[in-house]
Amino acid sequence: MLTDYVSVDYPQAVSDGLVINEFEYAEMQEFAAEIRHITATLPGQPALPSIQSLATVLEKAIHARESAQRIRELSSEIRRLLLDSYDIASHPQQAPDPTLGEHLYQQHCAACHGAMGNGQGEFTAGMNPPPTDFTDVARALQRSPYGLFATISRGVKSTAMQPFESLDEHQRWSLAYYTGALHVSDATLENGKSTFDQNSSLFVLNALNTQSLAEIASTQGTAMANAYAWLRKNPDEIFNSSANDPLTIAISNLERSAFAYRSGQVDVAHRHAVDAYLEGFELIETALANIDSELVLQIETRMMQLRRAIRKTAPQNEVNDLVATTIQDLQKVQSLLNEQAISPSVAFSSAIVILLREGLEAILILAAIAAFLIKTGRKDGLWYLHLGWISALLLGILTWIFSSYVIAISGATRELTEGITAIFAAGVLFYVGFWMHNKLSAQRWAKFIQEKISAALDKQTLLGITLISFIAVYREVFETVLFYQALWNQSGEQAQNLIISGFVTAAFMLVAATWLIFRAGARLPLRQFFAASALIMFALAIIFAGKGIAAMIEAGIIAGFPVTFARVDILGIYPELVGLGVQMTMAIAASLLVIRQQRRSHT
């Protein structure tokens, strides 16, 4: 608040190196000293030395009566570092209401600042300094909504501006947005709306809240600054689109996590840290992986480290560091996605990868079981197989619709469901692989053939096939829909057309994979088919185990232990110790079973 206040009011104190208002200049000196004093008491952060150094430079610059531009640059940089490095809640929890803001302004502010915001209220006589003129364009361009919110919340020392403690947070943000737009002309609004309509995907909620229009104009141009001015009058336009924006959700939950942890609410902090990943970052991973896969892994690792730090009640500065660095990485992601992620080529490739990644294991299981039923003369069992995957597909779509329009299903619940089904599927598939491989010894194979395979598949076994089919598909459907929904929201019209093309292309690829598996299975003698299918089931069990444990870690049920290791999503291999340990144990067990069976076959 102080840096924002100094940035805006310094030109009223000094001009061309001369003091033009002694009271204002004394106030600037006082506030600069206060900024230096406060930064000296801040908890440790990587950026703190820079903040403290800049605070000292700012104080000296004010004493030296340097230019207003120099003071603005120093104040803005201090403010930016503070917002980036500390858990400062700089965003409203909901869209501010300008109509409510106008009502509150007339009720609480007009008597001093004037009904039109020009600083000419009925109580202005004798006030020193006089009330702010919100219609002064030059000064208004230097203010951010967050700076106004902070002033409204805390007041200004040594002035008539007292904190509005009787107003709740939403009311204070609404008042901040209203006062921050009182200077905006009709022409600016018209130009701003046109710019926003043409470039709506380029606007960032963080910039709207924490940057002044002058800062935006200097970095993005006057047209974009006009559009942000229009958004101050129409915040719903960006808040409604940002409410479901994965990056906004991720950053917001990280800020809440740090705040809750500082307040001693460890469980709440952990829940927000989990939501930052599941409700936010996970939904844009695929699009980002096509641009910068190393950054994806870096953010995932930091988020896992944050959850571990909260669980073990690590020191506050460790949690703050993890939150700050993760938010900085997410802000890099925002820039990357604004530049590249919504391009048609990225949308197309992402659409293919999503469906292939989520559907390949399910297709492999379904195709292997179908081939098995056909080769063993039990085509009637295909009905049970189809019942399973069709039921899963319908239930997955209904679950998505229900969660979108009736109740909210959290990312943790979604991930927990996926984790449980994946681990259960891993157990079933490992057993099926063992069962198939166990039939390969000469004695057991002869007995199996004598008893007729078709008779061995009783109703209970067929119902088991339905269950496997259901689990294989249901665990993928709901999450696949969410990934496509997130990708769709990030894309323009041309890119959205290519998302559809990518989905259709991936669907044909999955159909082709199914046909190849059928064809390969049909050419194998029955015993060799059993051997190949057993190995496939073992492999899928290991993959599902890795994915299931990863999902449980992401849901915050299991504590993760990141290690340096290769990441192969399609194989369920992640650089995490628990999952790798379970997969290695299963691989060793499967290998021992195969070796044991081979020895039996030779006896």
Side-chain angles (χ1 to χ4, degrees):
M1 183 195 70
L2 287 170
T3 59
D4 196 75
Y5 197 87
V6 167
S7 177
V8 174
D9 277 23
Y10 182 78
Q12 311 305 310
V14 175
S15 178
D16 295 328
L18 299 174
V19 176
I20 58 176
N21 186 313
E22 290 289 350
F23 181 86
E24 290 279 2
Y25 184 59
E27 190 177 57
M28 293 298 100
Q29 292 175 306
E30 177 190 357
F31 288 169
E34 184 70 8
I35 291 170
R36 179 179 53 77
H37 171 72
I38 292 174
T39 58
T41 64
L42 291 174
Q45 286 285 0
L48 182 57
S50 296
I51 294 171
Q52 292 171 335
S53 175
L54 285 167
T56 300
V57 172
L58 175 65
E59 185 178 24
K60 290 179 179 178
I62 289 175
H63 279 291
R65 300 187 293 279
E66 294 191 21
S67 69
Q69 178 63 28
R70 172 63 170 162
I71 301 304
R72 277 197 295 270
E73 290 172 354
L74 290 169
S75 300
S76 296
E77 183 63 10
I78 294 171
R79 184 173 69 250
R80 184 189 67 79
L81 290 172
L82 286 169
L83 288 170
D84 288 348
S85 302
Y86 292 90
D87 54 330
I88 300 172
S90 57
H91 304 290
Q93 300 300 310
Q94 64 187 100
D97 182 350
T99 302
L100 172 62
E102 181 177 12
H103 171 75
L104 293 169
Y105 178 85
Q106 297 301 331
Q107 182 181 357
H108 296 281
C109 311
C112 293
H113 295 278
M116 305 303 294
N118 58 6
Q120 300 299 314
E122 58 182 304
F123 296 155
T124 58
M127 285 190 180
N128 193 13
T132 296
D133 177 2
F134 292 115
T135 64
D136 182 339
V137 176
R139 296 179 70 186
L141 291 176
Q142 306 301 328
R143 297 189 186 97
S144 67
Y146 177 71
L148 289 164
F149 170 79
T151 301
I152 292 166
S153 301
R154 300 178 183 274
V156 181
K157 185 179 178 182
S158 303
T159 74
M161 179 63 192
Q162 299 300 308
F164 283 75
E165 297 174 343
S166 62
L167 301 183
D168 63 28
E169 183 177 309
H170 176 60
Q171 291 174 318
R172 282 177 277 136
W173 272 112
S174 298
L175 185 54
Y177 265 72
Y178 175 76
T179 55
L182 282 171
H183 72 286
V184 183
S185 67
D186 291 340
T188 297
L189 291 175
E190 184 178 349
N191 293 333
K193 184 181 188 309
S194 175
T195 301
F196 179 80
D197 289 342
Q198 294 171 20
N199 306 278
S200 58
S201 64
L202 300 180
F203 292 84
V204 181
L205 192 57
N206 183 61
L208 174 64
N209 287 315
T210 64
Q211 291 186 20
S212 70
L213 296 177
E215 289 175 302
I216 294 170
S218 68
T219 57
Q220 301 184 55
T222 302
M224 289 294 284
N226 289 343
Y228 275 103
W230 180 80
L231 284 170
R232 291 189 183 184
K233 288 237 179 215
N234 302 274
D236 277 348
E237 293 292 333
I238 189 171
F239 273 85
N240 288 343
S241 61
S242 297
N244 296 315
D245 173 56
L247 283 174
T248 301
I249 291 170
I251 291 172
S252 176
N253 274 291
L254 286 171
E255 290 175 341
R256 293 174 190 172
S257 177
F259 181 80
Y261 194 77
R262 187 178 64 187
S263 304
Q265 303 175 69
V266 176
D267 291 340
V268 174
H270 186 263
R271 185 174 71 247
H272 284 313
V274 170
D275 287 345
Y277 178 76
L278 297 180
E279 308 288 358
F281 182 70
E282 186 186 28
L283 299 179
I284 51 94
E285 272 186 296
T286 301
L288 180 61
N290 290 323
I291 303 170
D292 192 335
S293 58
E294 290 185 6
L295 184 56
V296 170
L297 180 58
Q298 180 175 301
I299 293 173
E300 276 194 338
T301 302
R302 283 216 176 103
M303 285 185 159
M304 187 187 300
Q305 290 172 338
L306 174 62
R307 296 193 295 268
R308 284 189 61 209
I310 292 172
R311 274 185 173 276
K312 69 178 185 180
T313 59
Q316 179 70 51
N317 64 333
E318 181 180 340
V319 172
N320 287 344
D321 287 346
L322 286 168
V323 168
T325 52
T326 305
I327 288 177
Q328 288 171 6
D329 285 342
L330 290 173
Q331 289 168 342
K332 293 179 189 175
V333 169
Q334 181 72 71
S335 300
L336 287 172
L337 292 180
N338 282 344
E339 294 170 4
Q340 303 178 53
I342 58 174
S343 69
S345 59
V346 171
F348 180 74
S349 59
S350 296
I352 291 177
V353 169
I354 287 171
L355 189 58
L356 288 181
R357 185 186 67 188
E358 302 300 325
L360 194 57
E361 297 104 330
I363 289 295
L364 195 59
I365 292 171
L366 297 180
I369 294 174
F372 168 72
L373 291 170
I374 292 171
K375 288 184 69 67
T376 55
R378 288 299 301 269
K379 291 186 179 181
D380 58 306
L382 291 173
W383 186 89
Y384 290 87
L385 178 71
H386 296 322
L387 175 64
W389 73 261
I390 291 173
S391 299
L393 187 62
L394 293 175
L395 184 60
I397 294 173
L398 286 174
T399 303
W400 170 66
I401 294 172
F402 193 74
S403 69
S404 298
Y405 299 102
V406 183
I407 64 168
I409 295 179
S410 69
T413 301
R414 184 183 74 244
E415 212 67 26
L416 181 60
T417 301
E418 181 181 351
I420 292 173
T421 54
I423 292 172
F424 180 75
V428 172
L429 290 172
F430 198 87
Y431 171 76
V432 171
F434 170 76
W435 179 81
M436 286 184 165
H437 214 279
N438 196 42
K439 302 295 182 184
L440 295 180
S441 69
Q443 184 178 2
R444 287 194 174 124
W445 182 254
K447 183 180 179 183
F448 187 53
I449 294 298
Q450 289 171 4
E451 292 176 353
K452 297 184 181 179
I453 294 173
S454 59
L457 295 177
D458 56 21
K459 190 169 184 178
Q460 185 175 358
T461 304
L462 291 172
L463 288 175
I465 288 174
T466 301
L467 179 62
I468 294 174
S469 173
F470 177 86
I471 290 173
V473 174
Y474 181 74
R475 65 178 295 273
E476 308 294 354
V477 173
F478 184 46
E479 193 165 38
T480 300
V481 171
L482 290 179
F483 286 143
Y484 273 110
Q485 187 180 51
L487 183 63
W488 187 272
N489 290 337
Q490 296 169 45
S491 306
E493 184 176 350
Q494 184 182 3
Q496 287 173 346
N497 291 333
L498 283 174
I499 289 175
I500 297 173
S501 300
F503 177 86
V504 173
T505 301
F508 275 113
M509 293 171 72
L510 289 177
V511 170
T514 305
W515 179 81
L516 287 173
I517 293 169
F518 269 121
R519 188 173 180 83
R523 291 183 173 182
L524 286 175
L526 190 57
R527 187 174 179 183
Q528 279 70 29
F529 175 80
F530 257 60
S533 296
L535 293 177
I536 289 173
M537 295 303 170
F538 281 140
L540 288 173
I542 293 169
I543 291 170
F544 275 36
K547 291 194 170 187
I549 290 170
M552 300 291 273
I553 291 172
E554 289 167 0
I557 305 302
I558 299 174
F561 297 89
V563 293
T564 302
F565 199 81
R567 177 191 176 113
V568 187
D569 284 298
I570 199 169
L571 298 180
I573 296 174
Y574 303 97
E576 191 284 317
L577 191 60
V578 177
L580 288 173
V582 170
Q583 287 181 304
M584 187 172 294
T585 301
M586 293 178 70
I588 293 171
S591 299
L592 291 175
L593 286 172
V594 171
I595 293 171
R596 178 188 173 194
Q597 200 59 51
Q598 287 177 339
R599 288 179 177 174
R600 284 187 176 181
S601 297
H602 294 298
T603 58

